[in-house]
Amino acid sequence: MAEPEITFPQPVEFGRRQDDSVWISFGTPFKEHLAYDWPGTLKQASDIAQALNAIPQVVRTLRAVQADIRAPDTDTMLSRATGELIEEAFAALGVRP
């Protein structure tokens, strides 16, 4: 199975400095990396980092579900509406199924 098309540097991390400012960073330091002050709360930075870090796993999971429902030898049934939701999720992630 092909790796998901992720175009932003990962991992996404966050934290709070000693002066109580919040930061968020993308990628690996000394490689592809961006860090900046987050204008929101630590919880917001946490939620964003968690969501962005989950994208590769979400894509792998959706591709596995899609492969199972397309395979003629599996005993998996999903409704047409669920299949459409999978396609919409791929589109929302900007990934070609």
Side-chain angles (χ1 to χ4, degrees), residues 10 17 19 21 27 37 40 49 53 57 60 62 64 66 68 71 75 77 82 85 92 97:
Q10 287 194 294
R17 294 187 188 91
D19 67 358
S21 63
D37 290 339
N53 286 325
Q57 181 61 45
R60 283 191 294 273
L62 288 171
Q66 187 179 49
D68 281 351
D75 195 16
M77 293 290 288
T82 300
L85 287 172

Side-chain angles (χ1 to χ4, degrees), residues 1-24:
M1 190 173 300
E3 281 296 307
E5 301 94 11
I6 301 301
T7 59
F8 59 89
Q10 287 194 294
V12 180
E13 298 177 327
F14 67 97
R16 184 186 306 273
R17 294 187 188 91
Q18 289 181 346
D19 67 358
D20 273 346
S21 63
V22 177
W23 57 269
I24 192 165

Side-chain angles (χ1 to χ4, degrees), residues 7-82:
T7 59
F8 59 89
Q10 287 194 294
V12 180
E13 298 177 327
F14 67 97
R16 184 186 306 273
R17 294 187 188 91
Q18 289 181 346
D19 67 358
D20 273 346
S21 63
V22 177
W23 57 269
I24 192 165
S25 71
F26 299 81
T28 305
F30 306 113
K31 290 189 178 183
E32 189 174 21
H33 187 252
L34 167 70
Y36 64 92
D37 290 339
W38 180 254
T41 66
L42 187 65
K43 174 69 170 122
Q44 290 171 332
S46 169
D47 290 347
I48 288 172
Q50 184 175 12
L52 291 175
N53 286 325
I55 289 173
Q57 181 61 45
V58 169
V59 171
R60 283 191 294 273
T61 302
L62 288 171
R63 283 197 170 132
V65 170
Q66 187 179 49
D68 281 351
I69 61 175
R70 287 183 174 171
D73 60 340
T74 58
D75 195 16
T76 304
M77 293 290 288
L78 291 176
S79 70
R80 181 181 307 264
T82 300

